[in-house]
Amino acid sequence: MKPQAASGKRQANPNAGTDRLQLEGATPPSCGLQPPPLAAYVHIPWCVRKCPYCDFNSHTTHDALPENEYVDALIEDLEQDLRALEGLPARPLTSIFFGGGTPSLFSAAALDRFLQALNQRVPFADDIEITLEANPGTFEQAKFRDYRLAGINRLSIGIQSFNAEHLKALGRIHDDREALGAVDMARRAGFDNLNLDLMHGLPNQEHAQAMADLDQAMALAPEHLSWYQLTLEPNTVFYSRPPTLPEEDILWSIQEAGLQRLAAGGYAQYEISAYARNGRRARHNLNYWQYGDFLGLGAGAHGKLTDANGKVQRYWKTRLPKDYLNPDKAYLAGSKTLDADELPFDFLMNALRLVDGVPSAWYAERTGQSLEQIADTLNQAEAKGLLEPWHQQLRPTERGRLFLNDLLEMFL
């Protein structure tokens, strides 16, 4: 990819609210901490249809997408975020994730233009992982090939189920044949790193149906599987009009049998709902859970940045696409620098999702706080059988993973 400058830049309106991130301690002090790895999340907010279970920032569109205008906005948004990193040690991007919405509604040319602009402003790691979320029914073979040529090297395909009845209940626009075809097209386009998104505990789903979905997914031999239970989230159609979901004993049997099948198939669980073949863990998601930094670009995107003193800032962007594209509106909707008493929960909420946890030393390195400050609570969690001995590794026990909310509440 050749670097390319942005076109049609807009100037953020200084009267429209905060339009620039401010990191404290932008000039590293003598005792400055090295900031954690840096990634980028890019949100494409449009969908063909809003699924009844979805609580992500997605918006149905029946018109032509404003690709050029949106890419221009993403580039200007990026430039504003990068000003907050001035004075900090330079970091290459270790991963980029295009999420949504349905990013595969965008053309490869549009995504390529953004990647060129991003690479011009922030160097890419030599082994960078670039993931695109793609839904069956939104692309064809040539589009997959062009995504690969643009530098995208990992696909996350939203299958959810291979059962026609369940796909209809979930409001998906594809059928089982399109799901299988999507994987075939991805392979023929040269993608050798695929994640399949699969849900269980679906409306009226029986144990055997959930296992059939999982068996079909593993038969396609993806490098990674995201396998998780459907939950009813606020502000969704399913939340206001709940479907009939399987009983608790069925859900438990699905979970137990599924874990056995995945392990036997060579998919090791490394996070609550993430399973990978050897060497194929999702680098971008690992960066979240290991408390790395990430730029949040696009309508409704969230980001996290750390200053040289370990102060952590969470921030989020204007949510509605029409506002994000409005030259009179600011990209940045809000931000918050975490207080010292908020950091333990924020760090552990991510780290303890991992089966192996994280090295204990990372807590001080990535928060600027001593782990001894929360030693009493860590000891209590260990005594309750929720946490492994913690001086070398912050790692939940099997019981701790089952009762993760109880474990995390101890740090509130």
Side-chain angles (χ1 to χ4, degrees):
M1 296 178 297
K2 295 180 180 178
Q4 179 174 324
S7 63
K9 288 186 185 178
R10 77 175 181 179
Q11 298 298 317
N13 182 351
N15 298 316
T18 304
D19 62 0
R20 179 174 175 177
L21 285 171
Q22 300 283 348
L23 281 183
E24 296 182 31
T27 302
S30 58
C31 61
L33 300 170
Q34 287 297 313
L38 181 66
Y41 174 77
V42 186
H43 194 75
I44 310 294
W46 290 283
C47 278
V48 174
R49 180 193 299 163
K50 180 81 170 179
C51 296
Y53 60 85
C54 178
D55 68 336
F56 294 123
N57 182 35
S58 59
H59 305 268
T60 301
T61 179
H62 302 291
D63 302 318
L65 295 177
E67 284 190 343
N68 288 331
E69 295 88 343
Y70 196 74
V71 170
D72 287 343
L74 284 173
I75 295 169
E76 180 64 18
D77 187 5
L78 166 66
E79 290 182 342
Q80 292 186 13
D81 272 18
L82 292 181
R83 291 173 198 148
L85 300 181
E86 293 172 359
L88 293 175
R91 290 173 282 177
L93 284 177
T94 60
S95 66
I96 303 165
F97 194 101
F98 290 98
T102 306
S104 53
L105 290 176
F106 264 38
S107 68
L111 299 182
D112 184 42
R113 183 162 76 89
F114 174 73
L115 286 171
Q116 290 180 37
L118 179 56
N119 194 16
Q120 181 186 36
R121 292 158 176 80
V122 189
F124 289 4
D126 291 340
D127 61 347
I128 189 169
E129 174 192 272
I130 305 178
T131 302
L132 176 76
E133 285 187 339
N135 286 337
T138 63
F139 44 73
E140 60 281 337
Q141 185 66 53
K143 202 172 186 182
F144 262 26
R145 179 202 64 214
D146 290 343
Y147 287 145
R148 190 68 190 89
L149 291 173
I152 293 164
N153 53 25
R154 183 175 183 270
L155 288 180
S156 180
I157 303 178
I159 302 290
Q160 312 311 356
S161 175
F162 294 95
N163 182 294
E165 176 187 342
H166 294 144
L167 287 170
K168 183 176 180 181
L170 293 173
R172 305 297 290 177
I173 65 170
H174 68 273
D175 58 25
D176 56 332
R177 291 173 301 173
E178 288 175 308
L180 295 171
V183 176
D184 180 63
M185 281 191 283
R187 292 302 195 195
R188 284 192 283 125
F191 285 96
D192 62 358
N193 195 0
L194 295 183
N195 169 64
L196 301 186
D197 243 27
L198 199 68
M199 293 197 295
H200 59 88
L202 307 180
N204 299 306
Q205 188 180 50
E206 298 175 359
H207 176 100
Q209 292 173 319
M211 293 301 100
D213 271 350
L214 190 55
D215 288 343
Q216 175 64 85
M218 289 193 294
L220 295 171
E223 285 67 34
H224 191 283
L225 274 166
S226 298
W227 187 64
Y228 52 96
Q229 183 179 320
L230 170 66
T231 56
L232 306 186
E233 302 291 349
N235 302 314
T236 66
V237 172
F238 273 2
Y239 190 82
S240 58
R241 297 196 295 276
T244 302
L245 299 180
E247 298 291 339
E248 284 295 326
D249 58 338
I250 296 177
L251 293 173
W252 184 251
S253 72
I254 290 172
Q255 182 72 20
E256 283 193 315
L259 288 174
Q260 294 174 5
R261 269 176 161 81
L262 285 159
Y267 292 93
Q269 183 182 22
Y270 67 98
E271 188 266 346
I272 291 173
S273 60
Y275 307 80
R277 290 184 162 177
N278 189 36
R280 294 297 192 158
R281 296 181 177 187
R283 237 178 287 165
H284 188 83
N285 290 341
L286 275 174
N287 187 60
Y288 291 150
W289 300 322
Q290 294 174 346
Y291 218 56
D293 280 355
F294 54 98
L295 301 168
L297 305 167
H302 286 237
K304 169 189 172 284
L305 294 174
T306 308
D307 75 8
N309 297 304
K311 289 187 180 295
V312 174
Q313 186 177 66
R314 299 274 185 182
Y315 66 95
W316 50 97
K317 298 296 172 61
T318 297
R319 184 174 181 276
L320 294 178
K322 66 179 179 63
D323 291 337
Y324 186 81
L325 292 169
N326 185 343
D328 294 325
K329 295 288 185 76
Y331 297 111
L332 186 65
S335 64
K336 175 177 173 54
T337 299
L338 299 184
D339 296 330
D341 60 356
E342 295 175 301
L343 279 170
F345 178 82
D346 199 61
F347 180 92
L348 294 170
M349 176 180 63
N350 291 280
L352 295 183
R353 291 179 63 96
L354 293 169
V355 172
D356 294 333
V358 298
S360 299
W362 284 10
Y363 182 79
E365 291 173 8
R366 300 191 177 186
T367 69
Q369 291 191 2
S370 168
L371 199 56
E372 293 299 322
Q373 293 176 261
I374 56 172
D376 288 346
T377 309
L378 292 171
N379 287 331
Q380 292 171 26
E382 185 180 335
K384 289 182 176 181
L386 300 174
L387 194 70
E388 300 284 1
W390 54 269
H391 286 90
Q392 298 299 319
Q393 192 83 359
L394 291 169
R395 178 181 180 183
T397 61
E398 183 177 353
R399 176 180 173 81
R401 293 199 303 274
L402 288 173
F403 299 97
L404 184 58
N405 287 341
D406 294 336
L407 172 56
L408 293 174
E409 283 176 3
M410 298 179 68
F411 297 92
L412 285 173

